[in-house]
């Protein structure tokens, strides 16, 4: 059990929630991959829909970013991570740039991403992950603009 209680994500700042989402979703990617996940989140913020209209709303929307699911083992890790972790420090910098509007969109407007190779192997590829919606690929993620 953790020595400190884990924070309530709704009580965290937008920058902190965005950084923790980047860390939880893409800490195994390079800096560019984390940057691109931030692009997807900010593209959703720019185009409010069922997925939310602000950073926390988008990041914490149920079933959108698996790292926030109560059943995901990464959730406790992402709530406990500190600036002692160099990847988390980088995620905080990316999040600050994204929120300030200084993060170039490398995803060509994408609103979704998926590890298509893994999902195809598992037989669980979402309907929206199709060639018509595909925008670009980086690392383990394919990025999509879903209307």
């Amino acid at each position: 059990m953790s020595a400190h209680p884990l924070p309530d994500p709704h009580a965290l700042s937008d920058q902190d929630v965005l950084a923790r989402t980047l860390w939880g979703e893409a800490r195994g990617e390079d800096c560019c991959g984390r940057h691109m996940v931030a692009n997807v989140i900010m593209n959703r913020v720019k185009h409010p829909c069922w997925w939310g209209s602000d950073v926390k709303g988008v990041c914490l929307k149920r079933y959108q970013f698996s790292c926030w699911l109560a059943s995901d083992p990464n959730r406790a890790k992402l709530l406990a991570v500190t600036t002692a972790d160099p990847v988390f420090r980088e995620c905080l910098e990316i999040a600050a740039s994204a929120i300030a509007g200084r993060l170039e969109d490398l995803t060509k407007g994408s609103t979704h991403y998926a590890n298509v190779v893994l999902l195809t192997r598992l037989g669980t590829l979402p309907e929206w992950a199709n060639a018509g919606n595909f925008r670009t690929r980086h690392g383990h993620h394919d990025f999509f603009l879903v209307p």
Side-chain angles (χ1 to χ4, degrees), residues 2 5 8 14 25 40 47 64 82 95 101 103 105 112 119 131 138 141 143:
S2 174
D8 173 1
D14 285 351
E25 291 284 314
V40 166
H47 303 286
Q64 292 306 295
T82 69
L103 200 63
D105 187 357
H112 293 67
L119 293 179
H138 183 83
H141 291 131
F143 293 83

Side-chain angles (χ1 to χ4, degrees), residues 50-101:
W50 57 267
W51 52 58
S53 60
D54 60 16
V55 171
K56 278 199 271 193
V58 167
C59 289
L60 299 176
K61 179 72 175 179
R62 194 167 182 186
Y63 300 117
Q64 292 306 295
F65 297 98
S66 61
C67 64
W68 287 109
L69 294 174
S71 61
D72 192 307
N74 284 311
R75 183 181 167 107
K77 293 176 186 177
L78 75 88
L79 285 169
V81 70
T82 69
T83 55
D85 181 312
V87 173
F88 183 60
R89 285 195 309 269
E90 179 185 273
C91 290
L92 284 165
E93 291 173 17
I94 293 169
S97 292
I99 291 167

Side-chain angles (χ1 to χ4, degrees), residues 86-142:
V87 173
F88 183 60
R89 285 195 309 269
E90 179 185 273
C91 290
L92 284 165
E93 291 173 17
I94 293 169
S97 292
I99 291 167
R102 295 188 315 261
L103 200 63
E104 178 186 0
D105 187 357
L106 304 177
T107 69
K108 303 177 185 173
S110 295
T111 54
H112 293 67
Y113 66 90
N115 183 329
V116 172
V117 173
L118 175 64
L119 293 179
T120 301
R121 211 176 304 139
L122 296 174
T124 60
L125 194 62
E127 281 183 35
W128 51 258
N130 62 59
N133 294 335
F134 177 80
R135 291 299 173 261
T136 192
R137 172 176 289 150
H138 183 83
H140 295 101
H141 291 131
D142 284 7

